[in-house]
Coordinates of all heavy atoms in Angstrom, one line a residue:
T1343 N 2.6 4.7 14.6 CA 3.9 4.0 14.6 C 3.9 2.7 14.0 O 3.1 1.8 14.4 CB 4.5 3.9 16.1 OG1 4.5 5.2 16.6 CG2 5.9 3.3 16.0
I1344 N 4.8 2.4 13.1 CA 4.9 1.0 12.6 C 6.0 0.2 13.1 O 7.1 0.8 13.4 CB 5.0 1.0 11.1 CG1 5.0 -0.5 10.4 CG2 6.3 1.7 10.6 CD1 4.8 -0.6 8.9
S1345 N 5.7 -1.0 13.6 CA 6.9 -1.9 14.0 C 6.7 -3.3 13.6 O 5.7 -3.6 13.0 CB 6.9 -1.8 15.6 OG 5.7 -2.2 16.2
R1346 N 7.6 -4.2 14.0 CA 7.7 -5.4 13.5 C 8.2 -6.4 14.7 O 9.1 -6.0 15.5 CB 8.5 -5.7 12.1 CG 9.9 -5.5 12.3 CD 10.7 -5.4 11.0 NE 12.1 -5.4 11.2 CZ 12.9 -5.2 10.2 NH1 12.4 -5.0 8.9 NH2 14.2 -5.0 10.4
D1347 N 7.8 -7.6 14.6 CA 8.3 -8.7 15.4 C 8.8 -9.8 14.5 O 8.1 -10.5 13.9 CB 7.3 -9.3 16.4 CG 7.7 -10.3 17.2 OD1 8.9 -10.9 16.9 OD2 7.2 -10.6 18.4
N1348 N 10.1 -9.8 14.2 CA 10.7 -10.6 13.2 C 10.4 -12.2 13.5 O 10.3 -12.9 12.7 CB 12.2 -10.4 12.9 CG 12.5 -9.0 12.3 OD1 11.7 -8.5 11.6 ND2 13.6 -8.5 12.6
A1349 N 10.6 -12.4 14.8 CA 10.4 -13.8 15.2 C 9.1 -14.4 14.8 O 8.9 -15.6 14.6 CB 10.7 -14.0 16.7
Q1350 N 8.1 -13.6 14.9 CA 6.7 -14.0 14.6 C 6.2 -13.6 13.3 O 5.0 -13.6 13.0 CB 5.8 -13.4 15.8 CG 6.0 -14.0 17.1 CD 5.2 -13.5 18.2 OE1 3.9 -13.2 17.9 NE2 5.5 -13.4 19.4
N1351 N 7.0 -13.0 12.5 CA 6.7 -12.5 11.1 C 5.4 -11.6 11.2 O 4.4 -11.8 10.4 CB 6.5 -13.6 10.0 CG 7.6 -14.4 9.9 OD1 8.8 -14.0 9.9 ND2 7.5 -15.8 9.7
T1352 N 5.4 -10.8 12.0 CA 4.4 -9.9 12.3 C 4.6 -8.3 12.2 O 5.7 -7.9 12.7 CB 3.7 -10.2 13.7 OG1 3.3 -11.5 13.6 CG2 2.4 -9.3 13.9
V1353 N 3.8 -7.5 11.6 CA 4.0 -6.2 11.6 C 2.8 -5.5 12.2 O 1.6 -6.0 12.2 CB 4.1 -5.7 10.1 CG1 2.8 -5.9 9.4 CG2 4.4 -4.1 10.1
Y1354 N 3.0 -4.4 13.0 CA 2.0 -3.7 13.8 C 1.8 -2.3 13.3 O 2.9 -1.7 12.7 CB 2.3 -3.7 15.2 CG 2.5 -5.0 15.8 CD1 3.9 -5.6 15.9 CD2 1.5 -5.9 16.3 CE1 4.1 -6.9 16.4 CE2 1.7 -7.1 16.9 CZ 3.0 -7.6 16.9 OH 3.2 -8.8 17.4
L1355 N 0.8 -1.7 13.5 CA 0.6 -0.3 13.4 C -0.1 0.3 14.6 O -1.4 0.0 14.8 CB -0.2 0.0 12.1 CG -0.5 1.5 11.8 CD1 0.9 2.1 11.4 CD2 -1.6 1.7 10.7
Q1356 N 0.6 0.9 15.5 CA 0.0 1.6 16.5 C -0.5 3.0 16.1 O 0.2 3.8 15.6 CB 1.1 1.8 17.7 CG 0.5 2.4 18.9 CD -0.5 1.6 19.7 OE1 -0.3 0.5 19.9 NE2 -1.6 2.4 20.1
M1357 N -1.8 3.2 16.3 CA -2.5 4.3 15.9 C -3.1 5.1 17.1 O -3.9 4.8 17.8 CB -3.7 4.1 14.9 CG -3.2 3.3 13.7 SD -4.6 3.0 12.5 CE -5.8 2.0 13.5
N1358 N -2.5 6.3 17.3 CA -2.8 7.2 18.5 C -3.5 8.4 17.9 O -3.4 8.9 16.8 CB -1.7 7.6 19.4 CG -1.1 6.3 20.0 OD1 -1.7 5.3 20.3 ND2 0.3 6.3 20.2
S1359 N -4.2 9.2 18.9 CA -4.9 10.5 18.5 C -5.7 10.4 17.2 O -5.5 11.2 16.2 CB -3.7 11.6 18.3 OG -3.0 11.7 19.6
L1360 N -6.4 9.3 17.1 CA -7.1 9.1 15.9 C -8.1 10.2 15.4 O -8.7 10.8 16.4 CB -7.9 7.9 16.0 CG -7.0 6.5 15.6 CD1 -7.6 5.2 16.2 CD2 -6.7 6.3 14.2
K1361 N -8.2 10.5 14.2 CA -9.2 11.5 13.7 C -10.1 10.8 12.8 O -10.0 9.7 12.2 CB -8.3 12.5 12.9 CG -7.2 13.2 13.7 CD -6.4 14.0 12.7 CE -5.3 14.8 13.5 NZ -4.4 15.6 12.5
S1362 N -11.3 11.6 12.6 CA -12.3 11.0 11.7 C -11.7 10.7 10.4 O -12.2 9.8 9.8 CB -13.5 11.9 11.6 OG -13.1 13.1 11.2
E1363 N -10.8 11.5 9.8 CA -10.4 11.3 8.5 C -9.4 10.1 8.4 O -9.0 9.7 7.3 CB -9.5 12.5 7.9 CG -8.4 13.0 9.0 CD -9.0 14.2 9.8 OE1 -10.1 14.2 10.3 OE2 -8.2 15.2 10.0
D1364 N -9.1 9.4 9.5 CA -8.3 8.1 9.5 C -9.3 6.9 9.3 O -8.9 5.8 9.1 CB -7.7 7.8 10.9 CG -6.5 8.9 11.2 OD1 -5.9 9.2 10.3 OD2 -6.6 9.3 12.3
T1365 N -10.6 7.2 9.1 CA -11.6 6.2 8.8 C -11.4 5.5 7.6 O -11.3 6.2 6.5 CB -13.0 6.6 9.0 OG1 -13.3 7.1 10.2 CG2 -14.0 5.5 8.5
A1366 N -11.2 4.3 7.5 CA -10.8 3.6 6.2 C -10.6 2.0 6.4 O -10.7 1.7 7.6 CB -9.5 4.0 5.5
V1367 N -10.6 1.4 5.4 CA -10.2 -0.2 5.5 C -8.6 0.0 5.5 O -8.1 0.5 4.5 CB -10.8 -0.9 4.4 CG1 -10.3 -2.4 4.5 CG2 -12.4 -1.0 4.5
Y1368 N -8.1 -0.7 6.4 CA -6.5 -0.8 6.5 C -6.1 -2.2 6.0 O -6.6 -3.2 6.4 CB -6.1 -0.6 7.8 CG -6.1 0.9 8.2 CD1 -7.3 1.6 8.4 CD2 -5.0 1.6 8.3 CE1 -7.4 3.0 8.8 CE2 -5.0 3.1 8.6 CZ -6.2 3.6 8.9 OH -6.3 5.0 9.2
Y1369 N -5.1 -2.2 5.0 CA -4.5 -3.3 4.5 C -3.1 -3.4 4.9 O -2.4 -2.5 4.5 CB -4.8 -3.3 3.0 CG -6.2 -3.3 2.5 CD1 -6.8 -2.2 2.2 CD2 -7.0 -4.5 2.3 CE1 -8.1 -2.0 1.8 CE2 -8.3 -4.5 1.8 CZ -8.9 -3.3 1.6 OH -10.1 -3.2 1.1
C1370 N -2.6 -4.5 5.3 CA -1.2 -4.8 5.4 C -0.7 -5.4 4.1 O -1.4 -6.0 3.2 CB -0.8 -5.6 6.5 SG -1.1 -7.4 6.3
N1371 N 0.6 -5.0 3.8 CA 1.2 -5.6 2.5 C 2.7 -5.9 2.9 O 3.3 -5.2 3.6 CB 1.2 -4.5 1.5 CG 1.9 -5.0 0.3 OD1 3.2 -4.5 0.0 ND2 1.2 -5.5 -0.8
V1372 N 3.0 -7.0 2.3 CA 4.4 -7.4 2.4 C 5.1 -7.8 1.2 O 4.6 -8.3 0.3 CB 4.7 -8.6 3.5 CG1 4.1 -8.4 4.8 CG2 3.9 -9.9 2.9
A1373 N 6.3 -7.3 1.0 CA 7.2 -7.6 -0.1 C 8.1 -8.6 0.3 O 8.9 -8.5 1.2 CB 7.9 -6.4 -0.7
V1374 N 8.1 -9.9 -0.2 CA 8.9 -10.8 0.2 C 9.6 -11.6 -1.0 O 9.2 -11.5 -2.1 CB 8.0 -12.0 0.9 CG1 7.4 -11.3 2.1 CG2 7.0 -12.6 0.1
I1375 N 10.6 -12.5 -0.7 CA 11.3 -13.3 -1.6 C 10.8 -14.6 -1.4 O 10.9 -15.3 -0.4 CB 12.8 -13.4 -1.5 CG1 13.3 -11.9 -1.7 CG2 13.3 -14.3 -2.4 CD1 14.9 -11.8 -1.6
V1376 N 10.0 -15.3 -2.4 CA 9.6 -16.6 -2.5 C 10.1 -17.3 -3.6 O 9.9 -16.9 -4.8 CB 8.1 -16.7 -2.5 CG1 7.6 -18.0 -2.6 CG2 7.5 -15.8 -1.3
R1377 N 10.8 -18.4 -3.4 CA 11.5 -19.3 -4.5 C 12.3 -18.4 -5.3 O 12.2 -18.3 -6.6 CB 10.4 -20.0 -5.3 CG 9.7 -20.9 -4.4 CD 8.7 -21.8 -5.4 NE 9.3 -22.6 -6.3 CZ 8.7 -23.2 -7.2 NH1 7.3 -23.2 -7.2 NH2 9.4 -24.0 -8.1
S1378 N 13.1 -17.5 -4.8 CA 14.1 -16.6 -5.5 C 13.4 -15.5 -6.2 O 14.2 -14.9 -7.2 CB 15.1 -17.5 -6.2 OG 15.8 -18.3 -5.5
R1379 N 12.1 -15.1 -6.0 CA 11.5 -14.1 -6.7 C 10.7 -13.2 -5.8 O 10.1 -13.7 -4.8 CB 10.3 -14.8 -7.7 CG 9.7 -13.8 -8.7 CD 8.8 -14.8 -9.6 NE 8.2 -13.9 -10.6 CZ 7.0 -13.3 -10.5 NH1 6.5 -13.3 -9.4 NH2 6.6 -12.6 -11.6
I1380 N 10.7 -12.0 -6.1 CA 10.1 -10.9 -5.3 C 8.6 -10.9 -5.6 O 8.2 -10.9 -6.7 CB 10.6 -9.6 -5.7 CG1 12.2 -9.6 -5.2 CG2 9.9 -8.4 -4.7 CD1 12.8 -8.2 -5.6
N1381 N 7.8 -11.0 -4.6 CA 6.4 -10.9 -4.7 C 5.8 -10.1 -3.5 O 6.5 -9.9 -2.6 CB 5.7 -12.3 -4.6 CG 6.0 -13.1 -5.7 OD1 5.5 -13.2 -6.8 ND2 7.0 -14.1 -5.6
D1382 N 4.6 -9.5 -3.7 CA 4.0 -8.9 -2.7 C 2.7 -9.5 -2.4 O 2.0 -9.9 -3.3 CB 4.0 -7.3 -2.9 CG 3.0 -7.0 -3.9 OD1 3.2 -7.2 -5.0 OD2 2.0 -6.2 -3.5
Y1383 N 2.2 -9.4 -1.2 CA 0.8 -10.0 -0.8 C 0.1 -9.1 0.1 O 0.6 -8.2 0.9 CB 1.2 -11.3 0.0 CG 1.9 -12.3 -0.8 CD1 3.3 -12.3 -1.0 CD2 1.2 -13.4 -1.6 CE1 3.9 -13.3 -1.6 CE2 1.8 -14.2 -2.4 CZ 3.2 -14.3 -2.3 OH 3.9 -15.2 -3.1
W1384 N -1.2 -9.1 -0.1 CA -2.1 -8.2 0.7 C -2.8 -9.0 1.8 O -3.2 -10.2 1.6 CB -3.0 -7.7 -0.2 CG -2.5 -6.7 -1.2 CD1 -2.1 -6.9 -2.5 CD2 -2.3 -5.2 -0.9 NE1 -1.5 -5.8 -3.0 CE2 -1.7 -4.8 -2.1 CE3 -2.4 -4.5 0.2 CZ2 -1.2 -3.4 -2.2 CZ3 -2.1 -3.1 0.1 CH2 -1.5 -2.6 -1.1
G1385 N -3.1 -8.4 2.9 CA -4.0 -8.8 3.9 C -5.4 -8.7 3.4 O -5.8 -8.0 2.4
Q1386 N -6.4 -9.2 4.2 CA -7.9 -9.2 3.8 C -8.5 -7.8 4.2 O -9.6 -7.6 3.6 CB -8.6 -10.2 4.7 CG -9.0 -10.0 6.1 CD -7.9 -10.1 7.1 OE1 -6.7 -10.4 6.8 NE2 -8.2 -10.0 8.3
G1387 N -7.7 -6.9 4.9 CA -8.3 -5.7 5.2 C -9.0 -5.7 6.6 O -9.7 -6.6 6.9
T1388 N -9.0 -4.6 7.3 CA -9.6 -4.5 8.5 C -10.2 -3.0 8.8 O -9.5 -2.1 8.4 CB -8.7 -4.8 9.8 OG1 -9.6 -4.8 11.0 CG2 -7.5 -3.9 9.9
Q1389 N -11.4 -2.9 9.0 CA -12.2 -1.6 9.1 C -11.6 -0.9 10.4 O -11.8 -1.4 11.5 CB -13.7 -1.8 9.1 CG -14.4 -0.5 9.2 CD -14.2 0.4 7.8 OE1 -14.5 -0.1 6.8 NE2 -14.0 1.5 8.1
V1390 N -11.4 0.4 10.2 CA -11.2 1.3 11.2 C -12.1 2.4 11.1 O -12.1 3.2 10.1 CB -9.7 1.8 11.2 CG1 -9.5 3.0 12.3 CG2 -8.7 0.7 11.6

């Protein structure tokens, strides 16, 4: 389940019933408007 907290500019991913095939590096990505231009940014990645 993906969710967000707009007040804290935070996105979450709740992962239940995990399987071995879920093993990966997980990266968040946001598409935002910065100085009137659309850009996207990547997180550093976290190992699951």
Side-chain angles (χ1 to χ4, degrees):
T1343 303
I1344 188 170
S1345 62
R1346 67 186 182 191
D1347 184 336
N1348 290 334
Q1350 298 186 24
N1351 294 331
T1352 301
V1353 62
Y1354 304 94
L1355 186 67
Q1356 179 66 47
M1357 305 184 293
N1358 298 326
S1359 302
L1360 283 162
K1361 305 174 180 179
S1362 60
E1363 52 262 44
D1364 296 318
T1365 295
V1367 177
Y1368 284 70
Y1369 300 89
C1370 72
N1371 175 267
V1372 298
V1374 300
I1375 297 178
V1376 179
R1377 298 182 64 185
S1378 301
R1379 189 174 184 272
I1380 299 174
N1381 293 280
D1382 73 295
Y1383 298 87
W1384 292 93
Q1386 80 279 8
T1388 185
Q1389 177 70 49
V1390 172

